[in-house]
Amino acid sequence: MGCSRSIPSETAIPTAETDALLLCHVCAMKHCIVGPGAKTGHRAALLTVVKTRKPLTCPSIDDWVVKMESEEDHDFIIAPLLFRKPALAQMEEPEYNQGDQPKLEKTFFVLILLMYLVILLGNGVLILVTISDSHLHTPMYFFLGNLSFLDICYTTSSIPLVLDGFLTPRKTISFSACAVQMFLSFAMGATECVLLGMMAFDRYVAICNPLRYPMVMSKAAYVPMAVSSWLAGGVNSLVQISLAVQLPFCGDNVINHFTCEILAVLKLACADISINVISMGVANVIFLGVPVLFIFVSYIFILTTILRIPSAEGQRKAFSTCSSHLTVVVIFYGTILFMYAKPKSKDPLGEDKQDVSDKLISLFYGVLTPMLNPIIYSLRNKDRRPTMESANQTASVTEFILLGLSAHPKLVSTFFVLILLMYLVILLGNGVLILVTIFDSHLHTPMYFFLGNLSFLDICYTTSSVPLILDSFLTPRKTIPFSACAVQMFLSFAMGATECVLLGMMAFDRYVAICNPLRYPMVMSKAAYVPMAASSWAAGSAASIVQTSLAMRLPFCGNNIINHFTCEILAVLKLACADISTNVVSMGVTNVIFLGIPVLFIFVSYIFILTTILRIPSAEGRRKAFSTCSAHLTVVVVFYGTILFMYGKPKSKDPLGADKQDLSDKLISLFYGVVTPMLNPIIYSLRKRT
């Protein structure tokens, strides 16, 4: 049975009030229904009908409801920065508009990427430290390793999709991928709640029953405790996601969130979700309420025991063993409480802003806690304090002495003039190149944008060390304060790591330009290459923060003479009077990420580039194509070739020649720090036009 309806005016369709009426309107052609959950194209069809006021013929309501239930969407659209328009304004513009907040998306892309890299590095290093350091094979650090692995899994299940959503215009996710993401995020969240409760029990036994601690918290006890946390979280998530994916989704597939958050997905269901609500309520009581109550009771006993300790020093030491865990608990549950307990806006005009703020709070909650956990635990006070003697020795090191060329005074004047000349060339060459790329509109391309970043990086890298080197050539006392040494280490390490990633980005740019020239303007648009450069800086800075923090926390017990021109991190680590295996492992992982992966990426890119160039029939065409990447290839060879020569050359076996080799190593390192930045602008200024 059909029906014939006429839409009298635009005001007859205010959206939510006439859902039943909208269900009945079907396009005469092959367009789908234009319902309240319809997509952008369907709403445009409805807008045409509204303006022309033409009658439509559509099937009965019952027929259409059956049709809707049988045609479920297999994709969801993620609309994180969606602003809804009130009443008729919603009809006049598509509801799903990706161009509303481009600047906001770029800002959050860089910010979230930086935080994600800190999460991976911080938690990854913490896991490696707890595995490699036998002193940390304790229940608390075993739980902490599980917590770090959990944080990596939790963020990796969502952050890459969030970052991709900031860059791509169409933010879709398949139904199955959405279900997997919901399962992982829900499982990790529930597991963390139980794990924090287990850690509270560990602290309770350590402080309230210290003599029984080795027996109660043996390996046979704490390993099953951690496994049960993972199993409980996994089973709970499996139940909740199974109930969610069985619901029918009849058209509206726009998730008003950054990820497939389960509550946002449930809002799209066209069926009763009371079972899901009850099930989630029970799960929240079990996985939120019970652990919170358990932690609260544990800390009541802990605080009671601490207050019974007669000395203030004893109280401080006892509390320091659980202060980190307590801080993590407060941040974790405090953020949850703030998210779900804060008052809602009563102003209808303020609902959109609050909706966006709720999503942003949820997003930062998902990355802030995993980012802070390793930082909090790395800064925690040690359970066993060093002796007063070692403490006094550590406190006495307030500055370092840089040897430089002290043993070779005749070379000082020559190298002062040479290094000064090269530094001036670096400043002039890179400075001019930056100005040229800014003021010449023909050079506003991705490759020259990366080149401008590379020039600025070279200026920063050399300025962090060369002025100090020149000063040391002139002054008899070559000292540097402890804090200034830390800053110099951070800057040099950050600039080096950033340059490695930046050269990889430039290789990708050349790959697209030569292998996919027609797609180059679209792939390497400004919305793509600016975040690529920003992520290079963010990655390098995050790696440097981790390495410098680990180095500066080491005790330095008297020997403060650095046999180098600058505070080179390997030279500083040699002075530490503690085990540096953690630092070595951490630097090994960082070298694989920031040296190995970019080199492999550049190598593979140039294999494709050379293959494409060799397919060009004419010699002139091959020459022109190769000239577009010759400068970048030269810089890569100089950069990585010098590194390979420095660290790959054989060591002298002659004890008498050790001093000469030590001097040559320092000079090679010095010239590596100024030759590459000096050559980069020369190479690119001599490159042939693309």
Side-chain angles (χ1 to χ4, degrees):
M1 182 178 71
C3 64
S4 179
R5 296 183 184 272
S6 175
I7 303 174
S9 65
E10 293 182 337
T11 56
I13 315 234
T15 62
E17 290 80 355
T18 54
D19 285 354
L21 178 61
L22 288 178
L23 283 173
C24 183
H25 295 300
V26 188
C27 297
M29 306 296 290
K30 292 184 179 180
H31 294 94
C32 297
I33 266 298
V34 185
K39 298 179 183 178
T40 304
H42 307 151
R43 290 193 177 277
L46 176 60
L47 181 59
T48 304
V49 173
V50 169
K51 290 183 177 179
T52 57
R53 303 183 184 181
K54 292 181 180 179
L56 288 173
T57 301
C58 46
S60 65
I61 296 294
D62 294 335
D63 293 340
W64 172 239
V65 171
V66 172
K67 180 178 177 63
M68 284 184 65
E69 291 178 348
S70 64
E71 294 184 359
E72 296 183 359
D73 283 312
H74 295 285
D75 290 313
F76 286 114
I77 299 173
I78 308 294
L81 295 177
L82 173 66
F83 288 92
R84 298 183 182 275
K85 312 288 191 300
L88 291 176
Q90 197 173 16
M91 303 280 294
E92 294 167 1
E93 287 185 30
E95 180 182 0
Y96 181 59
N97 187 354
Q98 295 304 322
D100 288 342
Q101 302 292 326
K103 294 182 180 178
L104 194 62
E105 290 193 344
K106 290 177 184 177
T107 303
F108 281 113
F109 175 86
V110 175
L111 189 59
I112 298 301
L113 177 61
L114 176 61
M115 296 173 76
Y116 181 54
L117 292 172
V118 172
I119 289 168
L120 294 181
L121 285 170
N123 287 284
V125 168
L126 206 151
I127 292 171
L128 291 173
V129 167
T130 55
I131 292 173
S132 60
D133 191 345
S134 59
H135 296 95
L136 302 181
H137 291 176
T138 61
M140 189 62 179
Y141 279 97
F142 178 77
F143 289 132
L144 181 56
N146 276 263
L147 189 64
S148 294
F149 180 68
L150 183 149
D151 287 336
I152 290 174
C153 295
Y154 175 75
T155 52
T156 303
S157 70
S158 58
I159 298 303
L161 179 68
V162 173
L163 295 174
D164 180 66
F166 284 142
L167 297 180
T168 54
R170 188 69 170 170
K171 311 170 194 301
T172 58
I173 183 172
S174 64
F175 189 87
S176 56
C178 185
V180 171
Q181 190 184 86
M182 282 195 293
F183 170 78
L184 290 173
S185 60
F186 208 92
M188 299 302 109
T191 302
E192 185 160 0
C193 291
V194 180
L195 208 55
L196 289 174
M198 299 291 187
M199 294 168 80
F201 176 73
D202 173 84
R203 292 299 85 197
Y204 160 75
V205 178
I207 293 175
C208 300
N209 297 282
L211 298 179
R212 296 183 61 196
Y213 182 77
M215 181 177 64
V216 175
M217 293 303 295
S218 63
K219 193 172 184 179
Y222 66 74
V223 172
M225 288 169 67
V227 172
S228 64
S229 301
W230 286 91
L231 288 176
V235 170
N236 173 56
S237 181
L238 194 62
V239 172
Q240 301 302 327
I241 305 311
S242 299
L243 290 173
V245 297
Q246 289 177 13
L247 293 169
F249 298 93
C250 308
D252 193 357
N253 64 341
V254 180
I255 299 175
N256 190 15
H257 210 277
F258 289 95
T259 61
C260 282
E261 201 265 342
I262 191 166
L263 294 177
V265 173
L266 290 178
K267 292 178 181 178
L268 306 182
C270 54
D272 184 19
I273 60 170
S274 56
I275 294 176
N276 302 75
V277 173
I278 293 171
S279 173
M280 288 190 69
V282 173
N284 286 338
V285 171
I286 297 172
F287 289 91
L288 275 175
V290 174
V292 166
L293 182 63
F294 186 80
I295 292 168
F296 181 73
V297 172
S298 298
Y299 272 99
I300 287 177
F301 285 106
I302 288 171
L303 290 174
T304 304
T305 304
I306 289 174
L307 293 174
R308 288 174 183 169
I309 298 173
S311 67
E313 180 65 17
Q315 291 177 353
R316 186 184 63 79
K317 285 185 177 181
F319 186 75
S320 71
T321 63
C322 58
S323 58
S324 297
H325 174 257
L326 187 59
T327 305
V328 169
V329 167
V330 170
I331 292 174
F332 182 78
Y333 287 105
T335 316
I336 293 176
L337 185 65
F338 174 76
M339 279 199 301
Y340 295 105
K342 66 185 181 71
K344 300 292 182 182
S345 174
K346 296 181 179 180
D347 181 11
L349 298 176
E351 289 180 359
D352 287 335
K353 292 181 179 179
Q354 187 173 38
D355 183 51
V356 173
S357 69
D358 289 344
K359 288 185 287 185
L360 291 177
I361 291 170
S362 175
L363 174 63
F364 280 100
Y365 163 72
V367 291
L368 188 63
T369 308
M371 183 184 72
L372 291 178
N373 286 350
I375 297 173
I376 292 169
Y377 277 97
S378 65
L379 295 176
R380 71 185 294 268
N381 295 324
K382 293 186 177 181
D383 298 342
R384 296 185 296 273
R385 297 287 176 183
T387 62
M388 287 302 294
E389 182 182 357
S390 63
N392 290 335
Q393 287 176 335
T394 304
S396 64
V397 178
T398 58
E399 62 181 19
F400 290 105
I401 299 172
L402 301 169
L403 282 184
L405 292 175
S406 300
H408 307 275
K410 294 180 180 180
L411 298 176
V412 169
S413 301
T414 304
F415 279 104
F416 175 83
V417 175
L418 191 59
I419 298 300
L420 177 61
L421 180 62
M422 296 173 76
Y423 181 54
L424 293 174
V425 172
I426 290 168
L427 294 180
L428 287 170
N430 287 283
V432 168
L433 204 151
I434 291 171
L435 292 174
V436 168
T437 55
I438 291 173
F439 291 109
D440 190 345
S441 59
H442 296 95
L443 301 181
H444 291 176
T445 61
M447 190 60 179
Y448 279 97
F449 178 78
F450 288 132
L451 181 57
N453 277 263
L454 190 64
S455 295
F456 179 69
L457 183 149
D458 287 337
I459 291 174
C460 294
Y461 176 74
T462 52
T463 304
S464 69
S465 58
V466 172
L468 180 68
I469 294 171
L470 295 174
D471 180 68
S472 68
F473 285 149
L474 300 177
T475 55
R477 185 69 173 172
K478 314 170 195 302
T479 59
I480 182 173
F482 190 88
S483 56
C485 186
V487 171
Q488 190 183 84
M489 276 197 297
F490 167 78
L491 289 174
S492 60
F493 204 96
M495 298 303 108
T498 302
E499 184 160 0
C500 292
V501 181
L502 207 56
L503 289 173
M505 299 291 186
M506 295 168 79
F508 176 74
D509 173 83
R510 292 300 84 198
Y511 161 75
V512 178
I514 293 175
C515 300
N516 296 281
L518 298 179
R519 295 183 61 197
Y520 183 77
M522 180 178 65
V523 175
M524 293 303 296
S525 63
K526 192 173 183 178
Y529 67 75
V530 171
M532 286 169 67
S535 63
S536 302
W537 287 90
S541 300
S544 185
I545 288 172
V546 173
Q547 299 305 326
T548 307
S549 300
L550 288 173
M552 288 296 99
R553 288 176 61 247
L554 292 169
F556 298 94
C557 310
N559 186 11
N560 65 339
I561 300 175
I562 299 175
N563 190 17
H564 211 277
F565 291 98
T566 61
C567 282
E568 202 265 341
I569 192 166
L570 294 177
V572 173
L573 290 178
K574 291 178 181 178
L575 305 182
C577 54
D579 183 20
I580 61 169
S581 58
T582 300
N583 303 75
V584 173
V585 172
S586 173
M587 288 192 69
V589 173
T590 304
N591 287 339
V592 170
I593 296 172
F594 288 90
L595 275 174
I597 293 178
V599 166
L600 182 63
F601 186 80
I602 292 168
F603 180 73
V604 173
S605 298
Y606 273 99
I607 287 177
F608 285 105
I609 289 171
L610 290 174
T611 304
T612 303
I613 290 175
L614 293 174
R615 288 175 183 168
I616 299 173
S618 66
E620 181 65 17
R622 289 195 295 269
R623 187 187 63 78
K624 286 184 177 180
F626 186 74
S627 70
T628 63
C629 57
S630 58
H632 173 257
L633 188 59
T634 306
V635 169
V636 167
V637 170
V638 171
F639 182 77
Y640 287 104
T642 316
I643 293 176
L644 184 65
F645 176 75
M646 277 199 303
Y647 297 103
K649 65 186 181 69
K651 299 292 182 183
S652 174
K653 295 181 180 180
D654 181 13
L656 298 176
D659 290 336
K660 292 182 179 179
Q661 186 176 40
D662 187 49
L663 175 63
S664 68
D665 288 344
K666 288 191 289 184
L667 291 177
I668 290 169
S669 176
L670 173 63
F671 279 101
Y672 164 73
V674 290
V675 170
T676 307
M678 182 184 70
L679 290 179
N680 286 350
I682 297 173
I683 293 169
Y684 276 97
S685 63
L686 294 175
R687 73 183 292 269
K688 295 177 181 179
R689 291 177 177 267
T690 58

